[in-house]
Every structure is written in C-alpha cells, then in structure tokens.
Amino acid sequence: MKHSLETYNLFFGSLSNPNRLKILNVLRNKNLNVGEICNYTKFEQTMVSHNLKRLERCGMVFSEQKGKQRYYSLNKKTIKPLMKLIDEHMGIYCVHLIGRKI
Amino acid sequence: MKHSLETYNLFFGSLSNPNRLKILNVLRNKNLNVGEICNYTKFEQTMVSHNLKRLERCGMVFSEQKGKQRYYSLNKKTIKPLMKLIDEHMGIYCVHLIGRKI
DNA sequence: TTCATATATGAAATAAGCATCATATGATAT
DNA sequence: ATATCATATGATGCTTATTTCATATATGAA
C-alpha cells in the first residue's frame, strides 16, 4: 500500500454509498449539470451537491462552470477499469451475495 | 454497471473501513491465522473475526482451517490490481487530500 | 469426557456517515 | 444596483455501521 489507510478509506468510502453510485452512473454517458443530475436521479439538489463535492475531492468526477450551470463529468480513466475489475471479481467470488444486504 | 448498486455498495463498503484495510494489509505478504492478525494489528479478536467475516463474504480473503487455527489469505487476484489502480488514481487526482480526513 | 485454546456469533452500546433544513454564494440579466 | 436562477455550505437530527461485551462453538490434547 502506497498511501495511508485513511486515504484508501476515503476513496472507498466515496464509492460505498448508493446515491453516489447512482450519480456516477447517470454521468456514464454524458456530462450533466447539477439540475440535470437531480432530474435523472430524482434526488434533492442539496444532497446531490454534497455528494458531488465528495466525488470531486476524490477525483472521481470533474466539473466545469458554464454560465450559471456547473457541469460534471465522470473520470472515466479511473472509474471504467475500476468497475470492470469489480465486475470480474463479483462474477467469480460474489455470486452468493447478489441481492443481499450483507 | 453490470450489477446492482447495492452489490457495488457492499463491495466498496467492505473496503471503506480503516480496520479492515489494515487487516488486508497485514495479509499482503503471508497468510495468517486470527491470533496472528490480532498480534500484528493490535486489534481485539472479536473485532477481527467480525471484519474477516465480512471480507470473506465479499471474496476479498479466503480461509482455511488448520488444526485449531483458521488461516486467512488475501485474494491477490482482485486486491492487487485494485490497489494498483487506486494508487495510480491517487497519484494523479488525490494528491491534495493525502493526510486529510475529508 | 473434560479441559484448554482458537475462533465465531448475537446483541447492545458507541461511533460514523448521511440527508435534510436553512441559508449563503455565485452568475447572469435587467 | 437588484432580482432571479443555479449551486454550494454548515449545522443538526437521524440512520446505518462498527466495536465491544458476553457467550457459544469448534478443535485437539489429556
């Protein structure tokens, strides 16, 4: 491990939340501003902003101001291979817990 | 995303805990039984057992009974490339938050 | 079988994380 | 400047996660 446990913890913690995962998911195909993310996810604006902030701090999304709106985009370079890795892992080791809570 | 948000959440949740990360860390180089993990980490036995259980359910560690002891080993096939991916990510995008809490 | 050691389990207590609320900042237009 | 729309922030209450405690199960030895 190259970095501190705290840093890894922060990274993984950012991904261990269904709402943040959903936000990442709606950003997969196109860049969206906060309002659009709210529409797609049916989440409240403040909640989305809080979660976007955390995702951005961890480098999982980027943002760019365009007029009054701020557009968010997925860090595909990290998120795509990450998801791929986990999909493969789950396909092998986690079949038993698909659909479970714990 | 191939699996449900809940499943990803469970996966990442297992990694977003400093104690579990520390346990994974001490398993990097050699397989250890529960008592040994406690010694290395200075964690309590029950806590270690609870956390090992969760890690095993998510396929991050494997276990094997040997006499009275149960030995745990890291799922290197997943954990190693995962850590590599994240180290690279952090090196680029997370320099600013090294050592931070949030 | 009984004893000692190793690990696991369930429930309760504690801690951490999160959404929500109220409010603030920022941007553009008038 | 003020008004309006878009997004961000801080604090608080609530929920979920985690550790701890007490106890149970499992394995091997005597």
Side-chain angles (χ1 to χ4, degrees):
Chain A
M1 289 194 177
K2 206 172 154 186
H3 301 279
S4 73
L5 293 185
E6 271 306 327
T7 309
Y8 288 101
N9 191 33
L10 183 57
F11 181 92
F12 290 120
S14 297
L15 294 170
S16 69
N17 173 291
N19 296 347
R20 280 194 290 272
L21 286 170
K22 193 165 180 186
I23 291 172
L24 290 177
N25 195 45
V26 299
L27 287 172
R28 254 188 330 162
N29 297 316
K30 62 169 178 285
N31 304 353
L32 300 171
N33 63 47
V34 179
E36 291 170 331
I37 295 174
C38 292
N39 289 338
Y40 280 117
T41 57
K42 306 293 174 199
F43 293 156
E44 271 197 54
Q45 181 266 313
T46 46
M47 190 259 260
V48 169
S49 280
H50 277 298
N51 283 322
L52 283 171
K53 187 185 180 188
R54 169 133 191 199
L55 290 171
E56 189 171 24
R57 297 205 98 257
C58 293
M60 288 153 195
V61 301
F62 309 117
S63 78
E64 189 188 355
Q65 189 83 26
K66 277 184 185 167
K68 277 198 273 190
Q69 280 86 288
R70 176 165 284 264
Y71 281 79
Y72 284 86
S73 60
L74 196 64
N75 179 350
K76 294 200 172 86
K77 202 180 161 194
T78 296
I79 300 296
K80 279 188 74 176
L82 182 63
M83 289 310 182
K84 185 166 180 285
L85 191 73
I86 286 153
D87 283 337
E88 286 168 8
H89 170 89
M90 286 179 170
I92 303 171
Y93 306 105
C94 300
V95 185
H96 58 288
L97 52 74
I98 306 290
R100 286 198 174 225
K101 291 278 176 192
I102 254 190
Chain B
M1 290 194 177
K2 204 173 157 186
H3 301 279
S4 72
L5 293 186
E6 272 305 328
T7 309
Y8 288 102
N9 192 31
L10 184 57
F11 180 92
F12 290 119
S14 298
L15 295 171
S16 69
N17 172 291
N19 297 346
R20 281 195 290 273
L21 286 170
K22 193 165 179 185
I23 291 172
L24 291 176
N25 194 44
V26 299
L27 287 171
R28 253 188 330 161
N29 296 316
K30 62 170 179 283
N31 304 353
L32 299 172
N33 63 48
V34 179
E36 291 171 331
I37 295 173
C38 292
N39 289 339
Y40 280 117
T41 58
K42 306 293 174 200
F43 293 158
E44 272 197 54
Q45 180 266 313
T46 45
M47 190 260 258
V48 169
S49 280
H50 277 298
N51 283 321
L52 281 170
K53 187 183 179 187
R54 168 134 192 198
L55 290 171
E56 189 171 23
R57 297 205 98 256
C58 292
M60 286 153 194
V61 301
F62 308 117
S63 79
E64 188 189 355
Q65 190 82 25
K66 277 184 186 168
K68 278 197 273 192
Q69 282 85 284
R70 176 166 284 265
Y71 281 80
Y72 284 85
S73 60
L74 196 65
N75 179 350
K76 294 201 172 86
K77 203 179 160 195
T78 296
I79 300 297
K80 278 189 73 176
L82 181 63
M83 289 309 180
K84 185 166 181 285
L85 190 73
I86 287 153
D87 283 337
E88 285 168 9
H89 170 89
M90 286 178 172
I92 304 171
Y93 306 106
C94 299
V95 185
H96 57 289
L97 51 75
I98 306 289
R100 285 200 175 224
K101 293 278 174 192
I102 251 188

